[in-house]
Amino acid sequence: MSFDSNAPIPSLQSAIDAAGSAVDLLWSPVLTHWTVPRVQPEYIGWAREQAAWRETVTFKDLSHHMNDLFLDGPDAQRLLMDFSANDFASFEIGRAKQFVPVTSDGNIIVDGILMRNGEESFTLSGVPASQNWIRYQGETGNYDVEFRIDADSDRRKGDPVLFRFQVTGPLALQAIDKAFGGPIPKTKFFHSTEVSLGGRSFRALRHGMAGQPGYEFIGDFKDAAFVKEALMTAGEEFGIVHVGGKAYFTNGIESGWIPTPVPAIYDLDEHRAYREWLPAFGYEGKKPLHGSMYSPDMRDYYMTPYELGYGRSVAFTHDYHGREALERLKDQPHRQRVTFDLDAADTAAAMGADLGYYLSYGRYRVEVEGTPVGYGCYTANIAPVGRVLSLGLIAPEHAAPGTQVTFVWGEHPGAGAGPDAEAGFKRIRATVCPSPYSEVARTSYRAD
């Protein structure tokens, strides 16, 4: 597919038309994995960094790989309410929510983290898909709202607007207390409080990854170096480990967070104008599909909030885009989010005994007696567990922990081979485990 360099910037819709379908546009079994910009891949080794968030305390720099959309204006909340399933009745300043925007048929666009900064001020953080959706609705609808975009450090010139430092692990709260000279104000999960260090004021959000306790510190980037040094110095006594990009990108598997679900915007006629608004070379046109699960129907890759485990975030307290569909889906059987624990011997035979670091966002078919029943969509070697784990979805009748399934590893070549084509796939025995896989995440992570 090629475009005239002198022509207007092509749209996502024009790219789909040129490719023949959305699946043909996105299918890419040969990949170069993205790394966190301006963060080292490893500091003491990815395996030791994975172990650290279970054993001591870790520091993670989240300032560079996420996008921020700042919304300000009298209609900012109305816009967010009109196009998300969240409950805004108790959304006080300083609180964050797992943002859940959906299409009219109840499939998720992509989640994000929404922080309320003031009565008319919000920040939506994460990958650009949910931000693009909200910005399009705001710019084409009747909303008095101003948008400011701060892209990730691969696409932005200069420093980010905000620093984000995450301090997590079983000893995290002790290290944080030392950094601040005493306990910071007790804060509920996904709530924040204003804190200060050396005259620098910023926000502490009660949040962590990999199911471990901790805080995410968010503030003006000009204060980043000072705050980082203070946190790292205080953490030395507790064995603090700086986590690099490799290990960081694996930490959602144990806590049950499926990153970057396919935005459900590629097929419905009602989204054509949106696809014509989106650029061909933006997130929605470049986020690849790959793995052993191939389907020419893009809808086979969509997910609902219930499948992702976001049912607790879905509210029916106001009218919004997609509400009727979510009400219909609420009590219907749906795929369950689970963790697939891959057999170590089979994994070694399929992937190599010296596998080392492994991470994939591919969609890998999961079978029972040769019949597809689900797929893994976030797969990595988790060194402290000693095996490869894959976070994914499965039909409810096979979702019980302990169920034996087959994980199909390999890369389907795409169009022309047929969905059932065998492209040198390797089959790995796997056991269905709960999601979150981490017992801490299942039992106490959200307790407060």
PDB file of all heavy atoms in Angstrom, residues 80-99:
ATOM      1  N   LEU A  80     -17.380  13.487  28.907  1.00  0.00           N
ATOM      2  CA  LEU A  80     -16.911  12.210  29.429  1.00  0.00           C
ATOM      3  C   LEU A  80     -18.075  11.318  29.846  1.00  0.00           C
ATOM      4  O   LEU A  80     -18.047  10.096  29.633  1.00  0.00           O
ATOM      5  CB  LEU A  80     -15.975  12.447  30.615  1.00  0.00           C
ATOM      6  CG  LEU A  80     -14.648  13.145  30.273  1.00  0.00           C
ATOM      7  CD1 LEU A  80     -13.976  13.663  31.531  1.00  0.00           C
ATOM      8  CD2 LEU A  80     -13.719  12.211  29.504  1.00  0.00           C
ATOM      9  N   MET A  81     -19.109  11.908  30.404  1.00  0.00           N
ATOM     10  CA  MET A  81     -20.284  11.132  30.808  1.00  0.00           C
ATOM     11  C   MET A  81     -21.050  10.600  29.597  1.00  0.00           C
ATOM     12  O   MET A  81     -21.582   9.486  29.628  1.00  0.00           O
ATOM     13  CB  MET A  81     -21.209  11.987  31.671  1.00  0.00           C
ATOM     14  CG  MET A  81     -20.666  12.320  33.044  1.00  0.00           C
ATOM     15  SD  MET A  81     -21.795  13.352  34.025  1.00  0.00           S
ATOM     16  CE  MET A  81     -23.161  12.209  34.284  1.00  0.00           C
ATOM     17  N   ASP A  82     -21.104  11.387  28.538  1.00  0.00           N
ATOM     18  CA  ASP A  82     -21.862  10.972  27.354  1.00  0.00           C
ATOM     19  C   ASP A  82     -21.213   9.805  26.628  1.00  0.00           C
ATOM     20  O   ASP A  82     -21.884   9.078  25.890  1.00  0.00           O
ATOM     21  CB  ASP A  82     -21.999  12.150  26.378  1.00  0.00           C
ATOM     22  CG  ASP A  82     -23.013  13.172  26.826  1.00  0.00           C
ATOM     23  OD1 ASP A  82     -23.732  12.913  27.812  1.00  0.00           O
ATOM     24  OD2 ASP A  82     -23.068  14.257  26.209  1.00  0.00           O
ATOM     25  N   PHE A  83     -19.890   9.614  26.834  1.00  0.00           N
ATOM     26  CA  PHE A  83     -19.182   8.600  26.045  1.00  0.00           C
ATOM     27  C   PHE A  83     -18.349   7.652  26.904  1.00  0.00           C
ATOM     28  O   PHE A  83     -17.319   7.158  26.465  1.00  0.00           O
ATOM     29  CB  PHE A  83     -18.322   9.283  24.974  1.00  0.00           C
ATOM     30  CG  PHE A  83     -19.155   9.933  23.909  1.00  0.00           C
ATOM     31  CD1 PHE A  83     -19.471  11.281  23.986  1.00  0.00           C
ATOM     32  CD2 PHE A  83     -19.675   9.184  22.862  1.00  0.00           C
ATOM     33  CE1 PHE A  83     -20.271  11.884  23.026  1.00  0.00           C
ATOM     34  CE2 PHE A  83     -20.472   9.772  21.902  1.00  0.00           C
ATOM     35  CZ  PHE A  83     -20.773  11.122  21.983  1.00  0.00           C
ATOM     36  N   SER A  84     -18.828   7.388  28.104  1.00  0.00           N
ATOM     37  CA  SER A  84     -18.198   6.338  28.909  1.00  0.00           C
ATOM     38  C   SER A  84     -19.233   5.736  29.842  1.00  0.00           C
ATOM     39  O   SER A  84     -20.254   6.352  30.153  1.00  0.00           O
ATOM     40  CB  SER A  84     -17.018   6.879  29.712  1.00  0.00           C
ATOM     41  OG  SER A  84     -17.463   7.616  30.835  1.00  0.00           O
ATOM     42  N   ALA A  85     -18.925   4.517  30.296  1.00  0.00           N
ATOM     43  CA  ALA A  85     -19.855   3.778  31.146  1.00  0.00           C
ATOM     44  C   ALA A  85     -19.609   4.023  32.633  1.00  0.00           C
ATOM     45  O   ALA A  85     -20.234   3.376  33.468  1.00  0.00           O
ATOM     46  CB  ALA A  85     -19.731   2.280  30.854  1.00  0.00           C
ATOM     47  N   ASN A  86     -18.730   4.934  32.963  1.00  0.00           N
ATOM     48  CA  ASN A  86     -18.364   5.165  34.355  1.00  0.00           C
ATOM     49  C   ASN A  86     -19.443   5.897  35.134  1.00  0.00           C
ATOM     50  O   ASN A  86     -20.251   6.634  34.566  1.00  0.00           O
ATOM     51  CB  ASN A  86     -17.064   5.969  34.428  1.00  0.00           C
ATOM     52  CG  ASN A  86     -15.899   5.242  33.804  1.00  0.00           C
ATOM     53  OD1 ASN A  86     -15.658   5.380  32.617  1.00  0.00           O
ATOM     54  ND2 ASN A  86     -15.181   4.463  34.589  1.00  0.00           N
ATOM     55  N   ASP A  87     -19.391   5.717  36.441  1.00  0.00           N
ATOM     56  CA  ASP A  87     -20.261   6.442  37.355  1.00  0.00           C
ATOM     57  C   ASP A  87     -19.568   7.738  37.766  1.00  0.00           C
ATOM     58  O   ASP A  87     -18.473   7.718  38.327  1.00  0.00           O
ATOM     59  CB  ASP A  87     -20.542   5.584  38.587  1.00  0.00           C
ATOM     60  CG  ASP A  87     -21.513   6.237  39.557  1.00  0.00           C
ATOM     61  OD1 ASP A  87     -21.991   7.351  39.264  1.00  0.00           O
ATOM     62  OD2 ASP A  87     -21.782   5.636  40.612  1.00  0.00           O
ATOM     63  N   PHE A  88     -20.186   8.870  37.472  1.00  0.00           N
ATOM     64  CA  PHE A  88     -19.600  10.165  37.804  1.00  0.00           C
ATOM     65  C   PHE A  88     -20.258  10.796  39.029  1.00  0.00           C
ATOM     66  O   PHE A  88     -19.947  11.914  39.393  1.00  0.00           O
ATOM     67  CB  PHE A  88     -19.720  11.109  36.607  1.00  0.00           C
ATOM     68  CG  PHE A  88     -18.759  10.795  35.492  1.00  0.00           C
ATOM     69  CD1 PHE A  88     -19.024   9.765  34.605  1.00  0.00           C
ATOM     70  CD2 PHE A  88     -17.583  11.512  35.343  1.00  0.00           C
ATOM     71  CE1 PHE A  88     -18.143   9.462  33.578  1.00  0.00           C
ATOM     72  CE2 PHE A  88     -16.688  11.212  34.326  1.00  0.00           C
ATOM     73  CZ  PHE A  88     -16.969  10.187  33.447  1.00  0.00           C
ATOM     74  N   ALA A  89     -21.158  10.058  39.681  1.00  0.00           N
ATOM     75  CA  ALA A  89     -21.887  10.630  40.813  1.00  0.00           C
ATOM     76  C   ALA A  89     -20.971  10.916  41.995  1.00  0.00           C
ATOM     77  O   ALA A  89     -21.221  11.841  42.764  1.00  0.00           O
ATOM     78  CB  ALA A  89     -23.011   9.676  41.228  1.00  0.00           C
ATOM     79  N   SER A  90     -19.913  10.108  42.156  1.00  0.00           N
ATOM     80  CA  SER A  90     -19.001  10.302  43.288  1.00  0.00           C
ATOM     81  C   SER A  90     -17.571  10.422  42.767  1.00  0.00           C
ATOM     82  O   SER A  90     -16.688   9.664  43.163  1.00  0.00           O
ATOM     83  CB  SER A  90     -19.109   9.132  44.268  1.00  0.00           C
ATOM     84  OG  SER A  90     -18.817   7.908  43.615  1.00  0.00           O
ATOM     85  N   PHE A  91     -17.368  11.379  41.881  1.00  0.00           N
ATOM     86  CA  PHE A  91     -16.066  11.555  41.250  1.00  0.00           C
ATOM     87  C   PHE A  91     -15.464  12.861  41.753  1.00  0.00           C
ATOM     88  O   PHE A  91     -15.463  13.881  41.075  1.00  0.00           O
ATOM     89  CB  PHE A  91     -16.233  11.557  39.737  1.00  0.00           C
ATOM     90  CG  PHE A  91     -14.939  11.378  38.975  1.00  0.00           C
ATOM     91  CD1 PHE A  91     -13.766  11.005  39.609  1.00  0.00           C
ATOM     92  CD2 PHE A  91     -14.900  11.574  37.609  1.00  0.00           C
ATOM     93  CE1 PHE A  91     -12.581  10.829  38.911  1.00  0.00           C
ATOM     94  CE2 PHE A  91     -13.727  11.396  36.889  1.00  0.00           C
ATOM     95  CZ  PHE A  91     -12.572  11.019  37.535  1.00  0.00           C
ATOM     96  N   GLU A  92     -14.905  12.800  42.965  1.00  0.00           N
ATOM     97  CA  GLU A  92     -14.385  14.009  43.571  1.00  0.00           C
ATOM     98  C   GLU A  92     -13.010  14.351  42.997  1.00  0.00           C
ATOM     99  O   GLU A  92     -12.334  13.524  42.379  1.00  0.00           O
ATOM    100  CB  GLU A  92     -14.302  13.869  45.094  1.00  0.00           C
ATOM    101  CG  GLU A  92     -13.425  12.751  45.585  1.00  0.00           C
ATOM    102  CD  GLU A  92     -14.187  11.458  45.849  1.00  0.00           C
ATOM    103  OE1 GLU A  92     -15.201  11.210  45.163  1.00  0.00           O
ATOM    104  OE2 GLU A  92     -13.745  10.696  46.724  1.00  0.00           O
ATOM    105  N   ILE A  93     -12.598  15.594  43.207  1.00  0.00           N
ATOM    106  CA  ILE A  93     -11.297  16.060  42.738  1.00  0.00           C
ATOM    107  C   ILE A  93     -10.196  15.227  43.402  1.00  0.00           C
ATOM    108  O   ILE A  93     -10.235  14.967  44.607  1.00  0.00           O
ATOM    109  CB  ILE A  93     -11.116  17.554  43.056  1.00  0.00           C
ATOM    110  CG1 ILE A  93     -12.125  18.388  42.259  1.00  0.00           C
ATOM    111  CG2 ILE A  93      -9.689  18.014  42.754  1.00  0.00           C
ATOM    112  CD1 ILE A  93     -12.181  19.842  42.676  1.00  0.00           C
ATOM    113  N   GLY A  94      -9.232  14.795  42.592  1.00  0.00           N
ATOM    114  CA  GLY A  94      -8.131  13.982  43.088  1.00  0.00           C
ATOM    115  C   GLY A  94      -8.352  12.493  42.955  1.00  0.00           C
ATOM    116  O   GLY A  94      -7.457  11.697  43.247  1.00  0.00           O
ATOM    117  N   ARG A  95      -9.531  12.091  42.497  1.00  0.00           N
ATOM    118  CA  ARG A  95      -9.814  10.672  42.333  1.00  0.00           C
ATOM    119  C   ARG A  95      -9.545  10.247  40.892  1.00  0.00           C
ATOM    120  O   ARG A  95      -9.658  11.042  39.963  1.00  0.00           O
ATOM    121  CB  ARG A  95     -11.266  10.372  42.700  1.00  0.00           C
ATOM    122  CG  ARG A  95     -11.604   8.895  42.702  1.00  0.00           C
ATOM    123  CD  ARG A  95     -13.008   8.626  43.205  1.00  0.00           C
ATOM    124  NE  ARG A  95     -13.305   7.208  43.183  1.00  0.00           N
ATOM    125  CZ  ARG A  95     -14.476   6.680  43.548  1.00  0.00           C
ATOM    126  NH1 ARG A  95     -15.446   7.475  43.981  1.00  0.00           N
ATOM    127  NH2 ARG A  95     -14.672   5.375  43.503  1.00  0.00           N
ATOM    128  N   ALA A  96      -9.203   8.973  40.702  1.00  0.00           N
ATOM    129  CA  ALA A  96      -8.988   8.413  39.370  1.00  0.00           C
ATOM    130  C   ALA A  96      -9.980   7.284  39.129  1.00  0.00           C
ATOM    131  O   ALA A  96     -10.501   6.683  40.075  1.00  0.00           O
ATOM    132  CB  ALA A  96      -7.561   7.897  39.222  1.00  0.00           C
ATOM    133  N   LYS A  97     -10.242   7.020  37.865  1.00  0.00           N
ATOM    134  CA  LYS A  97     -11.131   5.930  37.463  1.00  0.00           C
ATOM    135  C   LYS A  97     -10.523   5.179  36.289  1.00  0.00           C
ATOM    136  O   LYS A  97      -9.795   5.764  35.484  1.00  0.00           O
ATOM    137  CB  LYS A  97     -12.503   6.459  37.048  1.00  0.00           C
ATOM    138  CG  LYS A  97     -13.365   7.002  38.173  1.00  0.00           C
ATOM    139  CD  LYS A  97     -14.711   7.468  37.656  1.00  0.00           C
ATOM    140  CE  LYS A  97     -15.597   8.002  38.773  1.00  0.00           C
ATOM    141  NZ  LYS A  97     -16.062   6.941  39.683  1.00  0.00           N
ATOM    142  N   GLN A  98     -10.839   3.883  36.212  1.00  0.00           N
ATOM    143  CA  GLN A  98     -10.539   3.115  35.003  1.00  0.00           C
ATOM    144  C   GLN A  98     -11.590   3.523  33.982  1.00  0.00           C
ATOM    145  O   GLN A  98     -12.752   3.177  34.093  1.00  0.00           O
ATOM    146  CB  GLN A  98     -10.620   1.611  35.286  1.00  0.00           C
ATOM    147  CG  GLN A  98      -9.994   0.748  34.207  1.00  0.00           C
ATOM    148  CD  GLN A  98      -8.500   0.584  34.401  1.00  0.00           C
ATOM    149  OE1 GLN A  98      -8.022   0.592  35.531  1.00  0.00           O
ATOM    150  NE2 GLN A  98      -7.753   0.426  33.316  1.00  0.00           N
ATOM    151  N   PHE A  99     -11.185   4.290  32.998  1.00  0.00           N
ATOM    152  CA  PHE A  99     -12.113   4.884  32.046  1.00  0.00           C
ATOM    153  C   PHE A  99     -12.584   3.811  31.063  1.00  0.00           C
ATOM    154  O   PHE A  99     -11.775   3.071  30.494  1.00  0.00           O
ATOM    155  CB  PHE A  99     -11.410   6.018  31.307  1.00  0.00           C
ATOM    156  CG  PHE A  99     -12.300   6.845  30.433  1.00  0.00           C
ATOM    157  CD1 PHE A  99     -13.353   7.567  30.977  1.00  0.00           C
ATOM    158  CD2 PHE A  99     -12.077   6.916  29.063  1.00  0.00           C
ATOM    159  CE1 PHE A  99     -14.164   8.341  30.173  1.00  0.00           C
ATOM    160  CE2 PHE A  99     -12.878   7.690  28.259  1.00  0.00           C
ATOM    161  CZ  PHE A  99     -13.930   8.411  28.807  1.00  0.00           C
TER     162      PHE A  99
END
